[in-house]
Amino acid sequence: MNRIALITGGTRGIGLGIARSLAAEGYDLMLCGRRPAIEVIDVLTELGATGVRAAYQVADIAEAGERAALIDHTRDTFGALHVLVNNAGMAPRVRHAVIDATEASFEEVLRVNLQGPYFLTQAAARWMIDQQAGDASWRGCILTINSISATVASLNRGEYCVSKAGLAMATQLWAVALAPHGIPVYEIRPGLIQTDMTAGVASKYDAMIEQGLLLEPRWGTPEDIGKAAAMLVRGDLPYASGQVLTLDGGLTLQRL
């Protein structure tokens, strides 16, 4: 039986890059998102053509009931879970300066980017621990896709930065909590990745890249993140639970 990976936001952008990489590793996939199922048929067909099973559940991870339904659907469809990839997230609908930010935006972004993955991890971890108790050969891991915004301040999307800083601590908390069970927890912290989320600011960062913003003068790709995720899921980076893998082309490296 193939191992099973649940990837939130797994039908486009970084999530799809990860889904493609894990499909290549032979993982059956449960993907979720807020789009109607009819809109992701092509993605499921593409992934299924690699020889794995790919399923989709409409789920807003900000909602407790929908998180529970996602776990239940994964259990009913595959009967097991080995890998959770917390990838789904959102930017503020309107970018306001910190001094003008609204509580409604702050609450929405934190519910999606922090509260959702925190409690989805809780539910997945409980199931993983039960599986391990029933099968000594079971092994798994949890991977959170964060952002350099966990430590880099952007004054026009403060709620996003706060959510990502909280997510970084969540990774550490879950790494400590799951260490006695041998379940590693990792964080990937991407920089500028070419996705639909960054399309609106592409021209701004194209110019900054041209001016030397990065050590590697190009946008990152979902495939870059997918390769890193596959490495962690395979266990190619042992003795490293709780660690952060920063893939930002050198953006956050301090230089004089």
Side-chain angles (χ1 to χ4, degrees), residues 3-9 14-15 17-19 21-22 25 27 61 81-88 113 116-118 120-122 124-125 128 138 140-147 164 167-168 170-172 174-175 178 183-190 222 224-235 237 240-247:
R3 286 158 56 83
I4 313 301
L6 166 57
I7 307 172
T8 65
I14 289 174
I18 294 170
S21 289
L22 295 192
E25 298 286 323
Y27 276 79
I61 61 167
L81 178 64
H82 302 86
V83 175
L84 169 64
V85 181
N86 289 305
N87 167 73
N113 291 0
Y118 188 92
L120 183 61
T121 298
Q122 181 188 72
M128 288 178 171
W138 181 94
C141 72
I142 293 173
L143 174 59
T144 292
I145 308 303
N146 202 340
S147 167
K164 295 303 184 178
L167 198 56
T171 298
Q172 296 179 56
W174 284 115
L178 296 178
I183 301 172
V185 181
Y186 306 107
E187 177 186 334
I188 292 179
R189 199 171 287 179
D224 293 329
I225 311 303
K227 290 176 182 178
M231 174 194 69
L232 293 171
V233 167
R234 281 196 307 267
L237 193 66
S241 186
Q243 295 304 304
V244 178
L245 187 59
T246 300
L247 278 69

Side-chain angles (χ1 to χ4, degrees), residues 11-70:
T11 62
R12 59 186 177 188
I14 289 174
L16 180 55
I18 294 170
R20 287 169 172 154
S21 289
L22 295 192
E25 298 286 323
Y27 276 79
D28 288 336
L29 304 170
M30 175 60 73
L31 311 178
C32 82
R34 295 194 285 196
R35 290 188 290 168
I38 194 170
E39 294 185 14
V40 304
I41 290 174
D42 289 348
V43 170
L44 299 181
T45 301
E46 174 200 333
L47 295 170
T50 67
V52 304
R53 292 186 294 165
Y56 178 75
Q57 171 82 354
V58 177
D60 181 349
I61 61 167
E63 300 294 335
E66 297 191 29
R67 291 193 300 268
L70 176 60

Side-chain angles (χ1 to χ4, degrees), residues 206-253:
D206 284 343
M208 294 176 72
I209 291 170
E210 182 69 24
Q211 293 163 12
L213 177 67
L214 308 176
L215 298 183
E216 299 182 41
R218 66 171 177 87
W219 283 82
T221 67
E223 290 70 30
D224 293 329
I225 311 303
K227 290 176 182 178
M231 174 194 69
L232 293 171
V233 167
R234 281 196 307 267
D236 289 354
L237 193 66
Y239 205 53
S241 186
Q243 295 304 304
V244 178
L245 187 59
T246 300
L247 278 69
D248 69 353
L251 190 155
T252 56
L253 181 68

Side-chain angles (χ1 to χ4, degrees), residues 155-169:
L155 289 180
N156 64 350
R157 51 178 187 154
E159 58 268 66
Y160 183 81
C161 296
V162 170
S163 72
K164 295 303 184 178
L167 198 56
M169 175 52 69

